[in-house]
Amino acid sequence: MRPHVLASCAVSLDGFLDDATPQRRILSGPADLDRVDEERARVDAILVGAGTVRADDPRLLVRAPERRAARAAQGLPESPLRVVLTTTRPAADARVHTGSAETITLAGTPDEVLDALGRRGVVRLMVEGGAAVLREFLTTGLVDELQLVLAPQLVGDGPRFTGGGRPPHLVETRTIGGDVLLRYRFGQADDRHLAEACVLAEQCPPSATAFSVGCVVVAEDGTVLGTGWSRRDHPLDHAEEGVLRGLGNDPRLRRATLYSSLEPCGERASRPDPCAALIARAGIPRVVYAWREPPEFVAAPSGSEQLAAVGVEVVQLSRWEPLARRCATRL
Ligand SMILES: NC(=O)c1ccc[n+]([C@@H]2O[C@H](COP(=O)([O-])OP(=O)(O)OC[C@H]3O[C@@H](n4cnc5c(N)ncnc54)[C@H](OP(=O)(O)O)[C@@H]3O)[C@@H](O)[C@H]2O)c1
Ligand SMILES: [Zn+2]
């Protein structure tokens, strides 16, 4: 299974990734560098091109000790696997070879690289540059999410951020200090919204006993009506429950699609109604989910069976199951 690919970079207002001097130009501010560190801590591997290793000599490690400790507590390496794309040999004294993370070099088309990383068990990959590698991954249509940070600098000359391939769809804008984060997703609507639901599961407050699930509800015209995750508003809340409560009787629900990282539940001990009943009652005609937990014992019909029985179209996109599972084990 190929990993989920997050491409991440900072660009100047005039679209440059660096300036033309030999020194590395840091574009974004400290708050955004900390956000990137948080993203690094969430992934299984970080990939850069050899050009970035030669130009910037980055270490590509998770910086914050508490994030490294949280990864270790989950049984993960303190920092993700470091992957350098190269057809030559990277300098043995490069800093990417120092520190407590494994570094590998790969060569090949982006498809081949992703297949190789998938075979190594990488579920989430972060592509951090540089110009050539970002263009290659974007142009071959293999990026699922792009986090582009617009930094308030005018550089004038240097390597440019360029792409090609599939059109980006805006998911979020966020101001981070003086920088602006623009978050985009690529691909078909079902894939975009379901992948987003999967990564939202990482926001769930931790629980030793309950699943961590993310949910997105999208109107017929593509408007995102609501997003949520398990235990957001109440310690017993399922993701779908919290989102539906926030939407009340919105008439757009009658033509909406609900995306959930996990199959909606068909049975609840802690609440009178399982999510399947809540979805049916809201009049939502279509449900798309990634991960189906095999029932521990056969009692009531599953959530999907209950929804199908009342005429709701239920689709499982198992392509996203590894991401749903990976995001359910959070820091
Ligand atoms: N602003 C940001 O967020 C950001 C982030 C990262 C980098 N940057 C900047 O980007 C610049 C570097 O970009 P760049 O375009 O020169 O280099 P790059 O994209 O980092 O690396 C290009 C190199 O990667 C290798 N490569 C690429 N595709 C490959 C493939 N499919 N198989 C095998 N090897 C492959 C080749 O290395 P070999 O020549 O060894 O074969 C190629 O020369 C620097 O100025 C850096 O500061 C900016
Ligand atoms: Zn539920």
Side-chain angles (χ1 to χ4, degrees):
M1 207 65 100
R2 282 192 184 155
H4 174 268
V5 178
L6 161 64
S8 166
C9 65
V11 296
S12 65
L13 293 183
D14 46 353
F16 292 100
L17 289 162
D18 191 6
D19 63 25
T21 70
Q23 288 79 40
R24 175 182 182 190
R25 180 149 175 164
I26 309 274
L27 289 167
S28 55
D32 186 61
L33 293 177
D34 187 58
R35 179 196 65 81
V36 171
D37 194 56
E38 193 172 11
E39 291 293 343
R40 278 186 183 173
R42 290 183 173 143
V43 300
D44 305 306
I46 300 172
L47 181 148
V48 296
T52 296
V53 173
R54 289 189 286 259
D56 299 347
D57 198 17
R59 291 187 311 150
L60 302 178
L61 296 170
V62 173
R63 285 180 201 159
E66 66 276 12
R67 292 184 186 128
R68 292 203 301 268
R71 284 181 58 101
Q74 273 182 57
L76 296 170
E78 285 192 349
S79 284
L81 173 72
R82 296 172 289 189
V83 183
V84 180
L85 275 195
T86 182
T87 58
T88 57
R89 294 188 110 225
D93 61 349
R95 295 205 303 165
V96 77
H97 296 299
T98 64
S100 63
E102 192 184 349
T103 302
I104 60 167
T105 59
L106 288 177
T109 63
D111 297 72
E112 291 165 348
V113 166
L114 292 185
D115 287 340
L117 293 174
R119 284 194 297 275
R120 285 185 74 109
V122 172
V123 175
R124 305 189 70 180
L125 172 69
M126 186 164 173
V127 175
E128 287 207 39
V133 164
L134 288 167
R135 182 170 53 247
E136 207 175 332
F137 274 81
L138 286 165
T139 305
T140 43
L142 291 170
V143 174
D144 297 300
E145 179 181 352
L146 169 65
Q147 298 187 353
L148 186 79
V149 170
L150 210 51
Q153 298 197 39
L154 291 164
V155 168
D157 191 18
R160 268 193 178 276
F161 174 67
T162 55
R166 305 187 292 181
H169 296 264
L170 184 67
V171 178
E172 184 194 352
T173 62
R174 205 189 305 165
T175 305
I176 302 168
D179 301 317
V180 181
L181 167 66
L182 302 163
R183 214 156 62 74
Y184 298 90
R185 283 196 171 275
F186 296 85
Q188 302 293 323
D190 277 354
D191 288 314
R192 297 195 318 262
H193 295 305
L194 189 56
E196 186 67 12
C198 290
V199 301
L200 281 175
E202 277 187 329
Q203 307 297 322
C204 299
S207 162
T209 51
F211 285 112
S212 289
V213 178
C215 175
V216 178
V217 176
V218 182
E220 193 183 23
D221 68 357
T223 306
V224 174
L225 300 176
T227 60
W229 48 88
S230 315
R231 305 179 287 288
R232 182 184 60 185
D233 311 321
H234 185 280
L236 293 179
D237 269 0
H238 286 187
E240 306 92 309
E241 194 173 24
V243 176
L244 291 177
R245 190 187 302 124
L247 289 173
N249 290 322
D250 191 318
R252 293 173 294 180
L253 291 174
R254 313 252 182 285
R255 299 169 102 80
T257 299
L258 180 142
Y259 297 89
S260 177
S261 58
L262 183 72
E263 176 190 14
C265 62
E267 218 183 350
R268 262 327 267 276
S270 54
R271 293 275 163 82
D273 291 310
C275 291
L278 300 176
I279 292 166
R281 197 176 306 147
I284 293 177
R286 188 163 181 269
V287 169
V288 180
Y289 71 92
W291 174 19
R292 177 168 199 170
E293 183 66 7
E296 279 167 32
F297 50 89
V298 184
S302 71
S304 319
E305 286 161 356
Q306 292 179 33
L307 286 163
V310 294
V312 175
E313 181 192 354
V314 184
V315 179
Q316 181 184 12
L317 294 182
S318 43
R319 177 188 165 198
W320 297 111
E321 182 180 328
L323 183 65
R325 299 168 77 107
R326 177 68 175 78
C327 295
T329 39
R330 70 176 294 284
L331 298 177

